[in-house]
Amino acid sequence: MQVYVKLNSSLKRYSSNEEGIEKIQNPEAMSVKQLLYKLNIKHGEAAVILVNEVLVDESAKIEDGSIVELYPIFGGG
Amino acid sequence: MLMAIGYNGKILHVDLTTKEIRVEEQPEEFYRKYLGGPGIGLYYLLKEDLPKVDPLGPENPLVFAPGLLTGTMSPCVPRYTVMCKSPLTGALGKSEAGGFWAPQLKQAGFDAIVIKGKATEPVYLWIENSKVEIRSAEHIWGTECGEAEALIRRDLEDQRVQVALIGPAGENQVLYAGISNGLSHFNGRNGLGAVMGSKNLKAIAVRGTQAIPVADAAKMKEIFKWVGQETKTHPLSSALNKYGTPAGITTVNAGGSLPTNNWQEGVFDKAVDIGVEKLNEYLVEKGGCYGCAIRCKRVIEVKKINLKVERRYGGPEYETIAAFGSNCGISNIELVCKANELCNRYGMDTISAGMAISFAMECYEKGILTNEETNGLELRFGNEEVLLPLLEKIANRDGIGNLLANGTKHAAQKIGQGSEKYILEVKGQEIPMHDPRVKTGLGLQYALAFNGADHWFAQHDPFFTAKDSFGNQSMALLGLSDPVGATELGFGKVRLILYTSYLVFLYDMLGACALGFVARSVVPLKKAVELVEAATGWETSLWELMKAGERSHAMGRMFNSNCGITKKDDKLPARFFKPIKNGPLDGKMAIDEKAFQEAVDLYYEMAGWDTENGKLSRGKLFELDLQWLI
């Protein structure tokens, strides 16, 4: 399966490019948690997760061809 | 008295009525109990025992208290607390600021300034090491913050002088006027600038060149260096360095909870236009505070033919961008930057000002305010033309500005006609730009905070939702290792908010910045203890320091009880018991009102507060060595 990931603001540091867009391949279906692990994102750092524009948590399953948007944890300011 | 180590052992008292200046020496036991910041501030406020004082009258004491560690070589510890009775809320007025002013005061030889009375003519205080003078400010009264700072530095022939001052908003006693230092650091909320204005006190200028003796300078340097290194790679501090707080705009919007059009909706379709990538087009520098490597502040400049924004007043933070942007329906980042500059020139809280404007917009759109009442301004959401003129009117108490300058609670009482439905405040202070429906612990913070709705009364829920979240990891040693869901309201959430409200008071007592320390950032709790030991020579512990945090937290509640604040005042605006509208959380997330009230009740019980008036139990007061408050 293949998913498209958009890493936003400080999560771009996990990306190979400035735009923060990654194409992730995986031999089988995966959850958001597994995707974050694959991207090497420190647990707790990605706090707002959208899959195909729907807000989900880490347990959500990702279908082939999905677009995943990740935003960093934020509080205060 | 033994020579003080890590602090000065001296409190400066100034009576502006009698012009008396005196220095009080306090023993080590005082500092061990009250540390600094709100511990010292509340000690002096409560000693006065003035529950009925008029906040804008001469009897209202105004205390400036740096943290215990402020001015030493402690990383991310630049801060001071200003306290008094607030004219906006009638309860405790308390606001912290960073920058470079407080370290100078400590290095001038003072741990706090207690100001009473009222000068007959405008004055400013000048503190140069141990020398203290009251000087005329007649030639400075009426000037904006930038001009005032320049005039004072010229008077004193020293550009290195740090100045905490008020602008025209404070002089005009706008009830949410703030105190500015370095032009871009603010004791923003609660109307402390109005209290300063009511005393005819324009500024406090300080120059301190005396190093504070510490017990173990090598240890402090080691920790300072460690934090400096960690800051570069720690995910939270490096994110603050790279993007500052404005990164929150698109994140919070994606999460479906960005305040939009006076909190009527949870998403703003033009959030990207006021997001950090847009702001970065105007970024010229990253700014910071004394002793902090994070450099989270944005310095921006706009140089367009029709709009210029000066860099010296600093760029907008998340709160300001949301308050003048999405919450007013405005998607023009340059205009938001200009609005921020205007507030910083006049010395005014951007959150309360933004909320006053969005409230007026909703009233206008609902036909409650007429064109005549708005001085011809068409107060519609998204109308960019009204933002700057309204801010000018508020700062100068002109026309509708005079109504809005008293805060939305007073304004709604005056307007009537059902306008009370459109205010979102707690104890009279407007809600900051975070929606408690997606983090209920924040709702408890808003309701319970002594100084009105405050988004840093405790720590934020998202940091504690999983076993290995930043918060659960860094606060396990406080007994907070168990995850708590962001929207839970059970005993786990209440305890989380209780313990972290003690911790945040401790941070304020030390002078630590919440954006530098755990859970929000890099400096761990054990290092905080080591810093206190290295500065003071005490053998202490997290337990003793958390008890100190609990002590000043208790003092804050006692102050409010004396002012007549009861549990009835610890409530959330009705809008949060209804679902969010629009976006991914449309129709969801309404807080359960009964569960919320039960959580508030449990907080009272856990804290040892009387279930109605909030006074600490006799046993608790003895335990915290506050029996003098019985």
Side-chain angles (χ1 to χ4, degrees), chain B residues 166-186:
Chain B
I166 57 172
E171 294 172 9
N172 295 329
Q173 296 175 30
V174 172
L175 295 192
Y176 40 89
I179 301 170
S180 160
N181 85 79
L183 303 186
S184 59
H185 304 275
F186 304 93

Side-chain angles (χ1 to χ4, degrees), chain B residues 155-332:
Chain B
D155 273 2
L156 301 172
E157 296 176 351
D158 191 346
Q159 292 298 311
R160 297 163 301 177
V161 167
Q162 293 293 325
V163 192
L165 48 76
I166 57 172
E171 294 172 9
N172 295 329
Q173 296 175 30
V174 172
L175 295 192
Y176 40 89
I179 301 170
S180 160
N181 85 79
L183 303 186
S184 59
H185 304 275
F186 304 93
N187 302 91
R189 310 214 72 196
N190 283 182
L192 312 180
V195 174
M196 218 163 134
S198 74
K199 294 183 176 309
N200 275 335
L201 178 62
K202 178 70 175 176
I204 305 176
V206 295
R207 181 84 178 105
T209 57
Q210 302 162 161
I212 300 166
V214 295
D216 189 346
K219 182 68 176 171
M220 297 202 84
K221 192 170 173 181
E222 178 199 312
I223 297 173
F224 191 87
K225 262 181 86 168
W226 181 88
V227 171
Q229 285 303 313
E230 283 295 299
T231 290
K232 294 176 198 165
T233 52
H234 190 286
L236 298 176
S237 51
S238 59
L240 283 167
N241 172 270
K242 209 161 159 97
Y243 296 98
T245 66
I249 292 289
T250 43
T251 293
V252 173
N253 195 62
S257 64
L258 186 65
T260 298
N261 295 347
N262 201 40
W263 290 88
Q264 292 182 83
E265 284 145 43
V267 285
F268 185 49
D269 56 0
K270 300 192 176 107
V272 156
D273 295 337
I274 52 170
V276 70
E277 274 86 10
K278 198 74 188 142
L279 184 70
N280 279 351
E281 290 175 18
Y282 306 97
L283 188 73
V284 294
E285 203 185 326
K286 295 169 191 171
C289 297
Y290 178 89
C292 183
I294 295 174
R295 304 194 75 74
C296 69
K297 295 185 81 71
R298 311 288 95 177
V299 181
I300 59 101
E301 198 166 47
V302 180
K303 286 179 176 177
K304 297 271 168 83
I305 292 173
N306 59 344
L307 195 138
K308 290 185 177 16
V309 179
E310 290 184 67
R311 58 187 297 170
R312 60 178 169 157
Y313 288 105
E317 301 285 350
Y318 164 83
E319 292 288 327
T320 306
I321 298 173
F324 291 137
S326 57
N327 207 39
C328 290
I330 284 171
S331 57
N332 181 334

